[in-house]
Amino acid sequence: MAHPFSQLAPSLDDIAQQGLYRSRRIIESPQGINLEIDGKNIVNFCSNDYLGLANHPDVLNAFKTGADRYGVGSGSAHLICGHSAAHHALEEELAAFTGRDRALLFSTGYMANIGVISALLGRGDAVFEDRLNHASLLDGGLLSGARFKRYAHADAADLSANLEKAPGNKLVVTDGVFSMDGDFAPLNELATAAKKQGAWLMVDDAHGLGVIGEYGGGIVEHYGLSQDDVPVLMGTLGKGFGTFGAFVAGSEVLIETLIQKARTYVYTTALPAAVAEATRASLKIVIAESWRRDKLKKLSERFRLGAEQLGLQVMASSSAIQPILIGDSQRAVDISNALLDAGFLVSAIRPPTVPQGSARLRVTFSALHEEQHVDRLLDALAKIIAGCK
Ligand SMILES: *Cc1c(COP(=O)(O)O)cnc(C)c1O
């Protein structure tokens, strides 16, 4: 008999061979556009802290005041004794912000997605997912036990054809802004298709909330979609909001159902109340400071235009996520390493996070970047790509 787990070491070698090995970089500074790595200062182009709030003084202060009032640990799950006044106030503010009846906090976006889908669906039901959906949405669908169907990326016609044949409760699930491509889901069409077949539409707007829409209301604000159009709206707080955690917003019945049945809500410790206080401060900035969204848009467009002029393969993105398609995984890693040597942190995204043969550099912008940062990144890219040919 072979030794148990004897395949682990060879499998690691295999991953390395394919240029797919993953490792961490140790950051020695707060989050921001400048990071310290190995004692060296680099310019950060891979964070999801799009609005530059992760280290904002107001957010930091609210966190400290929150810790003074509530301590660090929340002591238990929300349903035992962990649901503080800070959590409750944040939920009410998020409901108002998204124009939904209620909102419910989860400890992470990953847990929210798994919890929601498996609370709403079971055997005999059906879930429909865009094939480029985030891993947590796919995992939630698989875990639910419902019939699982992927439809072609952003393709409402393909979705409709699949919806017609399905039994039971039907849930259509999509990213709002696709995390590795930066494009928007065609939500109007998806909402129409879902309604026509009596399905609910769930949108994960991790990369749109705070960032897209005049008031930062995300992809549903952009398309003007109500709770009736998008009955399940999920957002994360660790990206545009710069803090940590996630929430689901929707009807009274949806939220009460989740409180009873979402296992990742019921069986986990509430996130620290101080984090909720920090998020309340960050929500105020998100709403008030639209200059952050405007600037982000300008910077992203400047980069996109410059990259096109360099002959780089940009993708169909109008968000702060501007990927450069490379194809080969090892080449993407080599370019990312060369950029780091030149003082820029840009992550190489490889399969299985993206489809085979579509490795890319995922360049993201922050409202704290300036035009000169964009131009310097473009210069470095031009030199590296020329050197690689
Ligand atoms: C980041 C992300 C999540 C997970 O959120 P966490 O709070 O980091 O667990 C879920 N969905 C999408 C689309 C994401 O980009």
Side-chain angles (χ1 to χ4, degrees), residues 168-196:
N169 287 321
K170 294 179 265 199
L171 186 67
V172 176
V173 179
T174 183
D175 279 27
V177 176
F178 284 87
S179 55
M180 297 301 140
D181 294 61
D183 58 332
F184 294 1
L187 281 197
N188 281 325
E189 294 158 42
L190 296 178
T192 306
K195 262 192 201 161
K196 205 167 148 197

PDB file of all heavy atoms in Angstrom, residues 168-196:
ATOM      1  N   GLY A 168     -38.357  23.166  -9.755  1.00  0.00           N
ATOM      2  CA  GLY A 168     -38.163  23.710  -8.400  1.00  0.00           C
ATOM      3  C   GLY A 168     -37.900  25.196  -8.336  1.00  0.00           C
ATOM      4  O   GLY A 168     -38.143  25.943  -9.285  1.00  0.00           O
ATOM      5  N   ASN A 169     -37.398  25.642  -7.183  1.00  0.00           N
ATOM      6  CA  ASN A 169     -36.993  27.040  -7.031  1.00  0.00           C
ATOM      7  C   ASN A 169     -35.740  27.278  -7.863  1.00  0.00           C
ATOM      8  O   ASN A 169     -34.826  26.460  -7.863  1.00  0.00           O
ATOM      9  CB  ASN A 169     -36.695  27.349  -5.569  1.00  0.00           C
ATOM     10  CG  ASN A 169     -37.964  27.423  -4.739  1.00  0.00           C
ATOM     11  OD1 ASN A 169     -38.981  27.936  -5.191  1.00  0.00           O
ATOM     12  ND2 ASN A 169     -37.901  26.884  -3.528  1.00  0.00           N
ATOM     13  N   LYS A 170     -35.711  28.424  -8.550  1.00  0.00           N
ATOM     14  CA  LYS A 170     -34.594  28.694  -9.447  1.00  0.00           C
ATOM     15  C   LYS A 170     -33.871  29.967  -9.007  1.00  0.00           C
ATOM     16  O   LYS A 170     -34.513  31.002  -8.797  1.00  0.00           O
ATOM     17  CB  LYS A 170     -35.111  28.853 -10.877  1.00  0.00           C
ATOM     18  CG  LYS A 170     -35.696  27.554 -11.411  1.00  0.00           C
ATOM     19  CD  LYS A 170     -36.221  27.707 -12.811  1.00  0.00           C
ATOM     20  CE  LYS A 170     -37.715  28.006 -12.795  1.00  0.00           C
ATOM     21  NZ  LYS A 170     -38.371  27.719 -14.084  1.00  0.00           N
ATOM     22  N   LEU A 171     -32.562  29.867  -8.869  1.00  0.00           N
ATOM     23  CA  LEU A 171     -31.761  31.027  -8.471  1.00  0.00           C
ATOM     24  C   LEU A 171     -30.689  31.269  -9.533  1.00  0.00           C
ATOM     25  O   LEU A 171     -29.915  30.370  -9.863  1.00  0.00           O
ATOM     26  CB  LEU A 171     -31.102  30.759  -7.109  1.00  0.00           C
ATOM     27  CG  LEU A 171     -30.340  31.928  -6.479  1.00  0.00           C
ATOM     28  CD1 LEU A 171     -31.286  33.063  -6.086  1.00  0.00           C
ATOM     29  CD2 LEU A 171     -29.564  31.465  -5.237  1.00  0.00           C
ATOM     30  N   VAL A 172     -30.684  32.490 -10.076  1.00  0.00           N
ATOM     31  CA  VAL A 172     -29.654  32.895 -11.036  1.00  0.00           C
ATOM     32  C   VAL A 172     -28.616  33.689 -10.264  1.00  0.00           C
ATOM     33  O   VAL A 172     -28.966  34.605  -9.515  1.00  0.00           O
ATOM     34  CB  VAL A 172     -30.260  33.765 -12.156  1.00  0.00           C
ATOM     35  CG1 VAL A 172     -29.170  34.259 -13.099  1.00  0.00           C
ATOM     36  CG2 VAL A 172     -31.345  33.000 -12.905  1.00  0.00           C
ATOM     37  N   VAL A 173     -27.353  33.322 -10.425  1.00  0.00           N
ATOM     38  CA  VAL A 173     -26.300  33.913  -9.605  1.00  0.00           C
ATOM     39  C   VAL A 173     -25.203  34.499 -10.493  1.00  0.00           C
ATOM     40  O   VAL A 173     -24.708  33.817 -11.392  1.00  0.00           O
ATOM     41  CB  VAL A 173     -25.687  32.828  -8.682  1.00  0.00           C
ATOM     42  CG1 VAL A 173     -24.572  33.407  -7.844  1.00  0.00           C
ATOM     43  CG2 VAL A 173     -26.763  32.215  -7.791  1.00  0.00           C
ATOM     44  N   THR A 174     -24.836  35.746 -10.233  1.00  0.00           N
ATOM     45  CA  THR A 174     -23.777  36.350 -11.040  1.00  0.00           C
ATOM     46  C   THR A 174     -22.935  37.352 -10.249  1.00  0.00           C
ATOM     47  O   THR A 174     -23.441  37.990  -9.315  1.00  0.00           O
ATOM     48  CB  THR A 174     -24.373  37.066 -12.280  1.00  0.00           C
ATOM     49  OG1 THR A 174     -23.316  37.577 -13.094  1.00  0.00           O
ATOM     50  CG2 THR A 174     -25.277  38.230 -11.894  1.00  0.00           C
ATOM     51  N   ASP A 175     -21.672  37.482 -10.608  1.00  0.00           N
ATOM     52  CA  ASP A 175     -20.871  38.615 -10.164  1.00  0.00           C
ATOM     53  C   ASP A 175     -21.510  39.869 -10.765  1.00  0.00           C
ATOM     54  O   ASP A 175     -22.058  39.800 -11.873  1.00  0.00           O
ATOM     55  CB  ASP A 175     -19.437  38.534 -10.743  1.00  0.00           C
ATOM     56  CG  ASP A 175     -18.487  37.598  -9.989  1.00  0.00           C
ATOM     57  OD1 ASP A 175     -18.953  36.642  -9.362  1.00  0.00           O
ATOM     58  OD2 ASP A 175     -17.264  37.839 -10.060  1.00  0.00           O
ATOM     59  N   GLY A 176     -21.432  41.008 -10.101  1.00  0.00           N
ATOM     60  CA  GLY A 176     -21.882  42.275 -10.696  1.00  0.00           C
ATOM     61  C   GLY A 176     -20.800  42.793 -11.624  1.00  0.00           C
ATOM     62  O   GLY A 176     -20.995  42.969 -12.832  1.00  0.00           O
ATOM     63  N   VAL A 177     -19.626  43.059 -11.055  1.00  0.00           N
ATOM     64  CA  VAL A 177     -18.420  43.370 -11.820  1.00  0.00           C
ATOM     65  C   VAL A 177     -17.548  42.119 -11.706  1.00  0.00           C
ATOM     66  O   VAL A 177     -17.255  41.683 -10.600  1.00  0.00           O
ATOM     67  CB  VAL A 177     -17.672  44.579 -11.224  1.00  0.00           C
ATOM     68  CG1 VAL A 177     -16.371  44.829 -11.967  1.00  0.00           C
ATOM     69  CG2 VAL A 177     -18.559  45.823 -11.234  1.00  0.00           C
ATOM     70  N   PHE A 178     -17.166  41.533 -12.827  1.00  0.00           N
ATOM     71  CA  PHE A 178     -16.418  40.274 -12.768  1.00  0.00           C
ATOM     72  C   PHE A 178     -15.007  40.521 -12.241  1.00  0.00           C
ATOM     73  O   PHE A 178     -14.299  41.394 -12.732  1.00  0.00           O
ATOM     74  CB  PHE A 178     -16.439  39.574 -14.127  1.00  0.00           C
ATOM     75  CG  PHE A 178     -17.770  38.936 -14.372  1.00  0.00           C
ATOM     76  CD1 PHE A 178     -18.800  39.657 -14.936  1.00  0.00           C
ATOM     77  CD2 PHE A 178     -18.016  37.638 -13.944  1.00  0.00           C
ATOM     78  CE1 PHE A 178     -20.061  39.091 -15.103  1.00  0.00           C
ATOM     79  CE2 PHE A 178     -19.267  37.066 -14.098  1.00  0.00           C
ATOM     80  CZ  PHE A 178     -20.292  37.792 -14.684  1.00  0.00           C
ATOM     81  N   SER A 179     -14.644  39.702 -11.234  1.00  0.00           N
ATOM     82  CA  SER A 179     -13.474  40.025 -10.422  1.00  0.00           C
ATOM     83  C   SER A 179     -12.154  39.927 -11.174  1.00  0.00           C
ATOM     84  O   SER A 179     -11.211  40.634 -10.852  1.00  0.00           O
ATOM     85  CB  SER A 179     -13.437  39.133  -9.183  1.00  0.00           C
ATOM     86  OG  SER A 179     -13.477  37.761  -9.537  1.00  0.00           O
ATOM     87  N   MET A 180     -12.063  39.046 -12.163  1.00  0.00           N
ATOM     88  CA  MET A 180     -10.800  38.846 -12.861  1.00  0.00           C
ATOM     89  C   MET A 180     -10.807  39.458 -14.262  1.00  0.00           C
ATOM     90  O   MET A 180      -9.807  39.424 -14.970  1.00  0.00           O
ATOM     91  CB  MET A 180     -10.470  37.350 -12.960  1.00  0.00           C
ATOM     92  CG  MET A 180     -10.265  36.707 -11.605  1.00  0.00           C
ATOM     93  SD  MET A 180      -8.930  37.498 -10.686  1.00  0.00           S
ATOM     94  CE  MET A 180      -9.632  37.526  -9.037  1.00  0.00           C
ATOM     95  N   ASP A 181     -11.945  39.979 -14.691  1.00  0.00           N
ATOM     96  CA  ASP A 181     -12.067  40.570 -16.024  1.00  0.00           C
ATOM     97  C   ASP A 181     -12.424  42.053 -15.972  1.00  0.00           C
ATOM     98  O   ASP A 181     -12.059  42.802 -16.870  1.00  0.00           O
ATOM     99  CB  ASP A 181     -13.134  39.824 -16.848  1.00  0.00           C
ATOM    100  CG  ASP A 181     -12.721  38.388 -17.135  1.00  0.00           C
ATOM    101  OD1 ASP A 181     -12.536  37.642 -16.151  1.00  0.00           O
ATOM    102  OD2 ASP A 181     -12.563  38.030 -18.307  1.00  0.00           O
ATOM    103  N   GLY A 182     -13.169  42.444 -14.937  1.00  0.00           N
ATOM    104  CA  GLY A 182     -13.511  43.848 -14.774  1.00  0.00           C
ATOM    105  C   GLY A 182     -14.735  44.290 -15.556  1.00  0.00           C
ATOM    106  O   GLY A 182     -15.131  45.449 -15.480  1.00  0.00           O
ATOM    107  N   ASP A 183     -15.353  43.389 -16.329  1.00  0.00           N
ATOM    108  CA  ASP A 183     -16.552  43.777 -17.083  1.00  0.00           C
ATOM    109  C   ASP A 183     -17.804  43.675 -16.214  1.00  0.00           C
ATOM    110  O   ASP A 183     -17.777  43.045 -15.154  1.00  0.00           O
ATOM    111  CB  ASP A 183     -16.689  42.921 -18.359  1.00  0.00           C
ATOM    112  CG  ASP A 183     -16.756  41.421 -18.043  1.00  0.00           C
ATOM    113  OD1 ASP A 183     -16.196  40.996 -17.009  1.00  0.00           O
ATOM    114  OD2 ASP A 183     -17.373  40.680 -18.826  1.00  0.00           O
ATOM    115  N   PHE A 184     -18.893  44.314 -16.671  1.00  0.00           N
ATOM    116  CA  PHE A 184     -20.154  44.314 -15.925  1.00  0.00           C
ATOM    117  C   PHE A 184     -21.047  43.179 -16.422  1.00  0.00           C
ATOM    118  O   PHE A 184     -21.105  42.916 -17.622  1.00  0.00           O
ATOM    119  CB  PHE A 184     -20.936  45.620 -16.149  1.00  0.00           C
ATOM    120  CG  PHE A 184     -20.274  46.866 -15.604  1.00  0.00           C
ATOM    121  CD1 PHE A 184     -19.045  46.826 -14.963  1.00  0.00           C
ATOM    122  CD2 PHE A 184     -20.913  48.100 -15.745  1.00  0.00           C
ATOM    123  CE1 PHE A 184     -18.446  47.975 -14.470  1.00  0.00           C
ATOM    124  CE2 PHE A 184     -20.318  49.257 -15.254  1.00  0.00           C
ATOM    125  CZ  PHE A 184     -19.083  49.205 -14.616  1.00  0.00           C
ATOM    126  N   ALA A 185     -21.782  42.569 -15.515  1.00  0.00           N
ATOM    127  CA  ALA A 185     -22.816  41.605 -15.928  1.00  0.00           C
ATOM    128  C   ALA A 185     -23.952  42.383 -16.598  1.00  0.00           C
ATOM    129  O   ALA A 185     -24.252  43.501 -16.186  1.00  0.00           O
ATOM    130  CB  ALA A 185     -23.338  40.856 -14.713  1.00  0.00           C
ATOM    131  N   PRO A 186     -24.596  41.799 -17.626  1.00  0.00           N
ATOM    132  CA  PRO A 186     -25.737  42.469 -18.282  1.00  0.00           C
ATOM    133  C   PRO A 186     -26.986  42.317 -17.416  1.00  0.00           C
ATOM    134  O   PRO A 186     -27.875  41.539 -17.724  1.00  0.00           O
ATOM    135  CB  PRO A 186     -25.867  41.701 -19.602  1.00  0.00           C
ATOM    136  CG  PRO A 186     -25.357  40.331 -19.286  1.00  0.00           C
ATOM    137  CD  PRO A 186     -24.315  40.482 -18.204  1.00  0.00           C
ATOM    138  N   LEU A 187     -27.033  43.088 -16.321  1.00  0.00           N
ATOM    139  CA  LEU A 187     -28.045  42.827 -15.291  1.00  0.00           C
ATOM    140  C   LEU A 187     -29.476  43.059 -15.736  1.00  0.00           C
ATOM    141  O   LEU A 187     -30.387  42.365 -15.277  1.00  0.00           O
ATOM    142  CB  LEU A 187     -27.761  43.669 -14.048  1.00  0.00           C
ATOM    143  CG  LEU A 187     -26.682  43.171 -13.105  1.00  0.00           C
ATOM    144  CD1 LEU A 187     -26.809  43.854 -11.762  1.00  0.00           C
ATOM    145  CD2 LEU A 187     -26.733  41.659 -12.930  1.00  0.00           C
ATOM    146  N   ASN A 188     -29.702  44.044 -16.624  1.00  0.00           N
ATOM    147  CA  ASN A 188     -31.074  44.266 -17.104  1.00  0.00           C
ATOM    148  C   ASN A 188     -31.615  43.013 -17.751  1.00  0.00           C
ATOM    149  O   ASN A 188     -32.717  42.563 -17.468  1.00  0.00           O
ATOM    150  CB  ASN A 188     -31.109  45.409 -18.119  1.00  0.00           C
ATOM    151  CG  ASN A 188     -31.059  46.762 -17.422  1.00  0.00           C
ATOM    152  OD1 ASN A 188     -31.610  46.915 -16.338  1.00  0.00           O
ATOM    153  ND2 ASN A 188     -30.389  47.719 -18.027  1.00  0.00           N
ATOM    154  N   GLU A 189     -30.798  42.451 -18.649  1.00  0.00           N
ATOM    155  CA  GLU A 189     -31.236  41.260 -19.388  1.00  0.00           C
ATOM    156  C   GLU A 189     -31.369  40.051 -18.464  1.00  0.00           C
ATOM    157  O   GLU A 189     -32.300  39.262 -18.595  1.00  0.00           O
ATOM    158  CB  GLU A 189     -30.237  40.939 -20.506  1.00  0.00           C
ATOM    159  CG  GLU A 189     -30.190  42.011 -21.584  1.00  0.00           C
ATOM    160  CD  GLU A 189     -28.889  41.987 -22.366  1.00  0.00           C
ATOM    161  OE1 GLU A 189     -28.421  40.885 -22.698  1.00  0.00           O
ATOM    162  OE2 GLU A 189     -28.333  43.069 -22.620  1.00  0.00           O
ATOM    163  N   LEU A 190     -30.429  39.910 -17.546  1.00  0.00           N
ATOM    164  CA  LEU A 190     -30.492  38.774 -16.621  1.00  0.00           C
ATOM    165  C   LEU A 190     -31.736  38.874 -15.743  1.00  0.00           C
ATOM    166  O   LEU A 190     -32.425  37.879 -15.492  1.00  0.00           O
ATOM    167  CB  LEU A 190     -29.237  38.704 -15.754  1.00  0.00           C
ATOM    168  CG  LEU A 190     -27.911  38.456 -16.482  1.00  0.00           C
ATOM    169  CD1 LEU A 190     -26.751  38.467 -15.493  1.00  0.00           C
ATOM    170  CD2 LEU A 190     -27.923  37.130 -17.244  1.00  0.00           C
ATOM    171  N   ALA A 191     -32.033  40.102 -15.289  1.00  0.00           N
ATOM    172  CA  ALA A 191     -33.201  40.303 -14.420  1.00  0.00           C
ATOM    173  C   ALA A 191     -34.483  39.982 -15.179  1.00  0.00           C
ATOM    174  O   ALA A 191     -35.392  39.332 -14.635  1.00  0.00           O
ATOM    175  CB  ALA A 191     -33.232  41.739 -13.902  1.00  0.00           C
ATOM    176  N   THR A 192     -34.556  40.409 -16.438  1.00  0.00           N
ATOM    177  CA  THR A 192     -35.742  40.124 -17.250  1.00  0.00           C
ATOM    178  C   THR A 192     -35.900  38.623 -17.454  1.00  0.00           C
ATOM    179  O   THR A 192     -36.998  38.070 -17.272  1.00  0.00           O
ATOM    180  CB  THR A 192     -35.626  40.819 -18.623  1.00  0.00           C
ATOM    181  OG1 THR A 192     -35.368  42.211 -18.373  1.00  0.00           O
ATOM    182  CG2 THR A 192     -36.881  40.667 -19.439  1.00  0.00           C
ATOM    183  N   ALA A 193     -34.797  37.962 -17.808  1.00  0.00           N
ATOM    184  CA  ALA A 193     -34.843  36.520 -18.055  1.00  0.00           C
ATOM    185  C   ALA A 193     -35.266  35.772 -16.790  1.00  0.00           C
ATOM    186  O   ALA A 193     -36.087  34.853 -16.838  1.00  0.00           O
ATOM    187  CB  ALA A 193     -33.478  36.025 -18.530  1.00  0.00           C
ATOM    188  N   ALA A 194     -34.721  36.192 -15.656  1.00  0.00           N
ATOM    189  CA  ALA A 194     -35.032  35.513 -14.396  1.00  0.00           C
ATOM    190  C   ALA A 194     -36.515  35.673 -14.058  1.00  0.00           C
ATOM    191  O   ALA A 194     -37.203  34.698 -13.755  1.00  0.00           O
ATOM    192  CB  ALA A 194     -34.157  36.061 -13.281  1.00  0.00           C
ATOM    193  N   LYS A 195     -36.997  36.911 -14.144  1.00  0.00           N
ATOM    194  CA  LYS A 195     -38.401  37.189 -13.797  1.00  0.00           C
ATOM    195  C   LYS A 195     -39.355  36.381 -14.654  1.00  0.00           C
ATOM    196  O   LYS A 195     -40.351  35.848 -14.158  1.00  0.00           O
ATOM    197  CB  LYS A 195     -38.685  38.680 -14.014  1.00  0.00           C
ATOM    198  CG  LYS A 195     -38.604  39.491 -12.747  1.00  0.00           C
ATOM    199  CD  LYS A 195     -39.185  40.866 -12.980  1.00  0.00           C
ATOM    200  CE  LYS A 195     -38.673  41.846 -11.939  1.00  0.00           C
ATOM    201  NZ  LYS A 195     -38.835  43.228 -12.367  1.00  0.00           N
ATOM    202  N   LYS A 196     -39.036  36.331 -15.935  1.00  0.00           N
ATOM    203  CA  LYS A 196     -39.912  35.639 -16.882  1.00  0.00           C
ATOM    204  C   LYS A 196     -40.120  34.175 -16.493  1.00  0.00           C
ATOM    205  O   LYS A 196     -41.188  33.611 -16.723  1.00  0.00           O
ATOM    206  CB  LYS A 196     -39.270  35.733 -18.274  1.00  0.00           C
ATOM    207  CG  LYS A 196     -40.253  35.610 -19.410  1.00  0.00           C
ATOM    208  CD  LYS A 196     -39.605  36.024 -20.712  1.00  0.00           C
ATOM    209  CE  LYS A 196     -40.195  35.237 -21.858  1.00  0.00           C
ATOM    210  NZ  LYS A 196     -39.354  35.310 -23.053  1.00  0.00           N
TER     211      LYS A 196
END
